Amino acid sequence: MILDPQQVFSEAGACIRCGACMEVCPLYQLTGQETTVARGKLSLLQALNRHELPPSQRLQEILEFCLLCGACTEKCTARVSTPELVKSGRAAMRQRRGRSWSPALVLTALSLQAERVLPNLSAAGPLVKRLKSWVGGNSGLLWRLWPALTGLVGRLPSLAPRPFSRSAPHLLPGRGRRKIAFFVGCGLEALFPQAGLAFLQLCQRLAIEVIIPPRQGCCGLLAHSAGEVETARELARRFLKQFETLPVDCIVTACASCSYHLKNLARLFPSGREGESAFRLAAKIREASEYLVETETINNLNFLPGFRSQSLVFHDPCHLRRGQRIVEPPRRLLAAAPGVEVLEPESVVTCCGQGGIFGICHPETAGLIGREAVTTYCGMGATALVTACSGCLAQLTGLAPPELRVRHFLEILAESL
Amino acid sequence: MINPQVLQKVQDVVGAPHLLTSQEDRLCYAYDAANLLHVPEAVAFPGSTEEVASLLRLANEYRFPVVPRGAGTGTTGGAVAVQGGLVVVTTRLNRILEIDTDNFLAVVEPGVITGHLKAAAAKEGLYYPPDPSSASFCTIGGNVAENAGGSAAVKYGVTRDYVLGLKVVLPTGQIIDTGVKTAKGVVGYDLTRLLVGSEGTLGIITRIILRLVTQPAARQTLLAGFSDISRATQTVGRILKARLGPCALEFLDRASLECVRDLLPFDIPPQTQALLLLEVDGHPHDVRDRVESMDSFCRGQEAAFVLAAASAPEAEKLWQARKLLSPASFKLKPHKLSEDVVVPISLIPDLVASIEILSRELDLPIMCFGHAGDGNIHVNVMYDQQQDRERQAAGQAVEKIFTVVRELGGTLSGEHGVGLTKSPYIGMELSEAAIALSLRLKKAFDPNNIMNPGKIFSPPAPPPSP
Ligand SMILES: Cc1cc2nc3c(=O)[nH]c(=O)nc-3n(C[C@H](O)[C@H](O)[C@H](O)COP(=O)(O)OP(=O)(O)OC[C@H]3O[C@@H](n4cnc5c(N)ncnc54)[C@H](O)[C@@H]3O)c2cc1C
Ligand code: SF4
Ligand code: SF4
């Protein structure tokens, strides 16, 4: 349903301009400008679709300045899905303006090669480290040349020494009826393999059979967020081809952004066979906590009793809380682990600031929002900040002080086994 | 038209980052919650009273319209630049300058979000009562300019009752202070009261002195359901007459209930025709007693059920549903004409009954809900712009509703103001002489008609009602 101007127009037209989204939009809170809030963006999208506005540079900037966090949609009584409409708008801009060079574009191009690049990236690890220290070391030159990418590299966590696919088997045999496939995703593959391995550990304890197809690619969320619909479609096709025929009950992923995107792949194919199979496959996609809670396998985990006590705070990824309405499952799982207390912050943290390509296009603003989130969490006396999305993990790891460890919730569960 | 040289002068006043001129940016300041589109020529964000004064001097010298804007949540088009010109947004004037716990007052800039002030006062054990449903995203400046009401008005009054004094930049660029910082004050004409509710047509408010009261120690929310709508509307007046002293008394008819049913924390029986949402506040003992009396009183009035919110979050949910009612109404039809009429409390049943008849006559859904405790009923005529019949019927509805309201001795607007959307109808309420005097006052403030032109009294005074 991408790119159909009539539909975008009518969906954006459902906005009644009540202004309620101003209360929750993290970017409006920061800037106080209508162009940053849903109400403004939707007005512009309507004008663009009616050809009353040219696809200008300024419009491009405005559409890129969105976290796609969905806080507006949650607040909106008209339920206007601003994040999806903004993505359509970005795609329409790409179509009408052509490509212009940007760091987001480079990453999008790279995402097409993810299955080849990522498993070999660790070799480049030392290089990235050097790059990071160079950037951190006040390199004026790089800052001038590549401000956006500099900010990005500066905040990226270091690459994992061994990517997931080099540590994990292709098949984890089970002993029961349950059979699943595991979709890894770029973040877990290159940055947080420990989270994926933790999931496999849990599955092993639960005797669940897990197929981990080799040479998996990127889910395509990044490309879709950047408005690169063709790239997103190509990645979607590869995913469908690889996972469609697997004899499994569910396809589970431990990254909230991947599961959100994979559940919504059909949006990329308004019609045709791919759309249908994407739609069918969507019913099988599960985020890890959702899967564990739904199958009630958690009761069989037999956690070690009396494990050291720790208080954690769970950061809700936008793509989990609002994108998939999954709020309780990760909390329930964590609370079931012995000695774990889950704290809730007093003021709501809406978004970590990473937001699709936002962290890449607007590293400074992303940093501001992220630091504010981290400050809230730091004041709570938690020993670890736990979340469920590789985007949030990357952002929060880069910003949290050493005394607040940032972890994937699956790691906490696996440690308690 | 603001020519480029003048625009440069405007930019010199506020600084380049605080002046928006691109087509894209301007389009995002072309509307408010009335959902009309009039694109301004530029949008400025002044950072001080002096900058506002310089802007108005320029406007007065070069004769371009100036439209003040808070958060743009007004529902009558008040912040919309019908005649083009410069929109002046108060977002940067958003400091709470003082919360004076000794003298129970707050000094704020106009761009402060109403909810932020309420929270800041609460931290000091103080209470700023006015509570428009938009409180968490509208500004105090907008509230003062519209004399906003809200659900607390039945006990605590409206914004006007809390404004002690103002700093205002007049359309000629002069800066005046009106009112007092004391509990009383009678020196000179009461310009404060004139400016409150003036919808940005007499000047730009840049500082507000507000009265605060003590925060009530306890509050309890109740929901009463009726199977007969007229029983519900009669109960409103009877509760007040029985001196049960609610601090909120909201009415929802059947259609309203359907719009927010899934937001309510309780299951509402299907035969329910109307709801009353009630709240009492005060000392905990007192609250408990009055909740009991309220409960039995409502049952005595044939309420089918009376439910009490079991916890603060549950009460919050009830209020959230009520606050979302206005936007949720669009579930019925894509467009609406929303009137916030007021009638004497004892005549609410007559008003609601007449509207029911009108709704059947015109074959359009018309929702009634609102701050019944002060006679303020939001009448929402729901229709589809694309359907010729519905559009015409809706057009007729407004005048018919106003006629009924005037016959009952009511007023056309309790809190949303006249702005653009109601200006054709003011002749139904104000006499020719009153309009003429108002226009002379306007001229005295704004000799060149640069302040928010086209609002309230335009097009030129309509003929008085027959
Ligand atoms: C969902 C919803 C619920 C609402 N519920 C209520 C309710 O319960 N009660 C109620 O009374 N209203 C309600 N309103 C209407 C609206 O929120 C109020 O009128 C509010 O006071 C407008 O504030 P604002 O900051 O958005 O002002 P704007 O819409 O920006 O401006 C309103 C008017 O004030 C003028 N103005 C703004 N700032 C200044 C200033 N500093 N100096 C001079 N003039 C100025 C503008 O020119 C304009 O004429 C509701 C609106 C919505 C969308
Ligand atoms: S809350 Fe929804 S309807 Fe209201 S202005 Fe925002 S996007 Fe539009
Ligand atoms: S998705 Fe988030 S950042 Fe974008 S408009 Fe909505 S609330 Fe604002």
Side-chain angles (χ1 to χ4, degrees):
Chain A
M1 285 132 256
I2 293 298
L3 287 188
D4 174 356
Q6 208 42 51
Q7 179 144 4
V8 175
F9 175 61
S10 72
E11 277 185 37
C15 168
I16 51 166
R17 301 200 170 110
C18 68
C21 43
M22 292 188 287
E23 183 191 349
V24 293
C25 174
L27 297 178
Y28 182 77
Q29 304 289 309
L30 214 61
T31 63
Q33 298 216 348
E34 285 269 351
T35 43
T36 62
V37 76
R39 179 163 80 157
K41 287 166 183 159
L42 295 168
S43 301
L44 292 169
L45 286 174
Q46 290 183 63
L48 178 73
N49 274 306
R50 283 193 304 246
H51 291 269
E52 289 164 10
L53 264 188
S56 64
Q57 177 64 33
R58 177 69 188 129
L59 188 54
Q60 171 124 355
E61 281 164 25
I62 292 170
L63 291 178
E64 272 173 8
F65 201 69
C66 178
L67 292 160
L68 308 178
C69 69
C72 46
T73 310
E74 190 181 37
K75 186 80 193 177
C76 174
T77 38
R79 288 265 160 242
V80 183
S81 178
T82 304
E84 290 307 321
L85 293 172
V86 166
K87 285 190 221 168
S88 304
R90 288 175 182 174
M93 294 292 284
R94 286 277 180 281
Q95 250 187 7
R96 283 160 65 174
R97 272 172 71 82
R99 290 213 175 84
S100 54
W101 191 91
S102 77
L105 198 72
V106 175
L107 279 191
T108 308
L110 268 177
S111 72
L112 266 178
Q113 311 291 333
E115 82 278 14
R116 253 170 299 156
V117 175
L118 291 183
N120 299 311
L121 253 193
S122 51
L127 187 79
V128 174
K129 232 187 205 140
R130 279 243 301 284
L131 193 65
K132 273 167 63 94
S133 68
W134 186 37
V135 166
N138 202 6
S139 151
L141 178 68
L142 191 61
W143 183 254
R144 275 206 312 283
L145 286 180
W146 242 12
L149 211 54
T150 316
L152 172 74
V153 173
R155 285 184 300 110
L156 257 183
S158 305
L159 287 168
R162 243 178 115 77
F164 177 83
S165 59
R166 301 208 166 199
S167 316
H170 296 322
L171 178 77
L172 187 72
R175 273 180 278 104
R177 314 171 272 117
R178 300 188 197 284
K179 264 178 127 179
I180 62 173
F182 185 59
F183 178 80
V184 189
C186 306
L188 264 66
E189 169 68 12
L191 299 173
F192 311 105
Q194 65 277 18
L197 295 173
F199 182 68
L200 296 188
Q201 231 177 308
L202 292 170
C203 289
Q204 191 165 31
R205 173 64 65 91
L206 296 167
I208 299 170
E209 179 178 317
V210 189
I211 302 176
I212 306 131
R215 286 182 300 285
Q216 299 186 21
C218 170
C219 69
L221 176 80
L222 187 87
H224 191 198
S225 307
E228 293 290 334
V229 181
E230 272 319 317
T231 306
R233 283 196 181 126
E234 175 54 28
L235 290 168
R237 282 189 199 102
R238 290 187 202 167
F239 168 78
L240 292 175
K241 199 164 153 215
Q242 195 169 26
F243 283 82
E244 201 170 21
T245 51
L246 295 179
V248 293
D249 325 324
C250 290
I251 301 163
V252 182
T253 147
C255 171
S257 290
C258 296
S259 53
Y260 169 79
H261 186 69
L262 295 176
K263 285 177 181 178
N264 289 298
L265 277 190
R267 274 192 243 254
L268 289 166
F269 306 103
S271 56
R273 200 196 60 79
E274 289 133 323
E276 280 161 36
S277 52
F279 192 74
R280 241 178 297 117
L281 210 56
K284 282 192 172 185
I285 310 288
R286 296 287 184 284
E287 183 275 333
S289 72
E290 180 186 24
Y291 176 74
L292 292 173
V293 165
E294 182 182 285
T295 51
E296 292 181 18
T297 45
I298 182 67
N299 306 325
N300 311 332
L301 272 175
N302 301 322
F303 288 120
L304 278 178
F307 207 66
R308 77 195 149 99
S309 78
Q310 46 183 338
S311 32
L312 311 174
V313 51
F314 184 77
H315 167 79
D316 287 297
C318 299
H319 282 136
L320 195 64
R321 186 189 181 94
R322 290 179 290 272
Q324 299 171 71
R325 306 204 158 269
I326 297 176
V327 179
E328 285 309 316
R331 290 177 168 80
R332 259 183 62 194
L333 293 171
L334 284 167
V340 168
E341 184 196 8
V342 185
L343 307 174
E344 296 294 335
E346 232 168 69
S347 54
V348 188
V349 174
T350 308
C351 176
C352 73
Q354 183 67 25
I357 54 163
F358 191 85
I360 305 165
C361 298
H362 300 280
E364 277 161 82
T365 312
L368 266 173
I369 294 172
R371 266 187 291 278
E372 202 181 300
V374 166
T375 307
T376 304
Y377 291 137
C378 278
M380 296 172 53
T383 45
L385 172 55
V386 181
T387 188
C389 161
S390 51
C392 303
L393 279 169
Q395 168 82 336
L396 297 170
T397 311
L399 295 171
E403 62 274 16
L404 186 70
R405 279 194 72 192
V406 180
R407 329 249 347 241
H408 195 290
F409 77 91
L410 291 169
E411 294 176 65
I412 307 285
L413 297 184
E415 273 170 13
S416 311
L417 287 179
Chain B
M1 267 298 284
I2 313 177
N3 73 40
Q5 287 91 335
V6 176
L7 206 53
Q8 182 59 48
K9 288 183 204 268
V10 170
Q11 179 172 320
D12 293 343
V13 172
V14 290
H18 306 303
L19 181 72
L20 303 177
T21 53
S22 82
Q23 195 185 357
E24 294 79 4
D25 287 284
R26 289 183 291 121
L27 187 67
C28 293
Y29 289 87
Y31 50 75
D32 63 7
N35 211 353
L36 308 162
L37 270 193
H38 292 279
V39 184
E41 291 162 71
V43 185
F45 299 76
S48 67
T49 301
E50 288 66 35
E51 287 184 14
V52 173
S54 306
L55 290 178
L56 289 189
R57 274 193 298 272
L58 283 173
N60 212 36
E61 187 179 342
Y62 297 101
R63 306 282 151 89
F64 58 82
V66 171
V67 184
R69 179 183 174 98
T73 70
T75 54
T76 51
V80 169
V82 251
Q83 300 185 9
L86 181 70
V87 166
V88 174
V89 193
T90 58
T91 317
R92 287 177 68 218
L93 300 170
N94 66 346
R95 289 173 302 167
I96 296 176
L97 299 168
E98 192 183 340
I99 298 224
D100 180 345
T101 49
D102 293 331
N103 296 301
F104 287 69
L105 50 87
V107 182
V108 299
E109 293 186 324
V112 170
I113 303 295
T114 309
H116 295 179
L117 170 67
K118 288 171 85 81
K123 257 198 193 139
E124 306 290 339
L126 295 174
Y127 182 38
Y128 175 67
D131 191 24
S133 300
S134 48
S136 52
F137 50 96
C138 67
T139 69
I140 284 283
N143 293 169
V144 173
E146 296 285 10
N147 189 12
S151 57
V154 58
K155 174 169 175 183
Y156 291 101
V158 294
T159 304
R160 177 206 288 136
D161 301 308
Y162 295 85
V163 181
L164 292 175
L166 299 170
K167 188 184 279 299
V168 182
V169 182
L170 298 177
T172 45
Q174 287 148 298
I175 300 168
I176 61 165
D177 288 292
T178 74
V180 291
K181 245 189 147 173
T182 50
K184 308 161 91 176
V186 292
V187 178
Y189 289 147
D190 194 344
L191 295 178
T192 312
R193 283 210 160 210
L194 176 60
L195 284 154
V196 174
S198 64
E199 305 190 23
T201 60
L202 299 181
I204 299 188
I205 300 157
T206 60
R207 190 168 291 191
I208 304 157
I209 306 170
L210 293 165
R211 187 166 74 85
L212 302 175
V213 296
T214 43
Q215 184 80 20
R219 56 177 70 239
Q220 173 70 53
T221 310
L222 294 169
L223 188 70
F226 293 82
S227 316
D228 175 29
I229 187 165
S230 59
R231 287 306 287 182
T233 50
Q234 284 158 5
T235 302
V236 171
R238 290 178 186 162
I239 285 176
L240 295 171
K241 211 166 154 191
R243 315 238 158 130
L244 292 172
C247 64
L249 208 182
E250 301 282 312
F251 165 77
L252 281 77
D253 71 0
R254 168 98 205 187
S256 314
L257 161 62
E258 291 313 327
C259 288
V260 291
R261 188 184 276 281
D262 48 341
L263 299 172
L264 295 170
F266 309 120
D267 277 334
I268 306 296
Q271 67 276 18
T272 310
Q273 294 298 324
L275 296 174
L276 293 181
L277 181 58
L278 300 142
E279 192 165 272
V280 278
D281 68 357
H283 192 276
H285 292 294
D286 182 36
V287 167
R288 209 171 315 135
D289 288 351
R290 278 191 295 139
V291 163
E292 264 169 41
S293 334
M294 194 83 86
D295 186 305
S296 53
F297 189 86
C298 289
R299 288 181 202 277
Q301 300 295 315
E302 294 172 24
F305 61 86
V306 182
L307 300 165
S311 60
E314 207 169 272
E316 184 49 38
K317 247 186 156 167
L318 279 171
W319 281 108
Q320 200 53 32
R322 163 61 189 91
K323 289 184 174 181
L324 287 173
L325 194 45
S326 167
S329 61
F330 287 95
K331 286 181 187 164
L332 287 179
K333 292 269 174 184
H335 303 96
K336 76 167 167 186
L337 290 168
S338 162
E339 305 304 340
D340 72 312
V341 300
V342 194
V343 294
I345 293 154
S346 60
L347 298 178
I348 296 176
D350 303 60
L351 174 69
V352 173
S354 308
I355 303 243
E356 276 194 300
I357 296 172
L358 186 62
S359 168
R360 273 196 300 272
E361 226 175 74
L362 296 171
D363 191 17
L364 280 182
I366 306 184
M367 291 167 66
C368 286
F369 62 90
H371 317 305
D374 41 43
N376 193 181
I377 300 287
H378 296 310
V379 182
N380 286 242
V381 183
M382 307 307 301
Y383 69 106
D384 183 347
Q385 187 101 57
Q386 311 297 331
Q387 308 286 330
D388 289 343
R389 185 199 70 78
E390 295 195 4
R391 196 179 52 243
Q392 280 157 14
Q396 289 168 17
V398 175
E399 198 157 335
K400 290 195 170 157
I401 292 167
F402 286 162
T403 307
V404 172
V405 168
R406 291 299 294 148
E407 277 165 13
L408 296 174
T411 176
L412 306 190
S413 176
E415 49 181 35
H416 290 170
V418 176
L420 275 179
T421 54
K422 288 182 202 175
S423 97
Y425 303 101
I426 57 167
M428 292 178 74
E429 179 160 339
L430 301 180
S431 69
E432 224 168 328
I435 291 174
L437 173 62
S438 303
L439 289 172
R440 287 203 299 280
L441 273 172
K442 162 81 173 159
K443 186 113 189 156
F445 273 78
D446 182 16
N448 297 313
N449 196 26
I450 55 143
M451 274 311 302
N452 212 356
K455 306 295 164 65
I456 311 181
F457 297 106
S458 191
S465 54

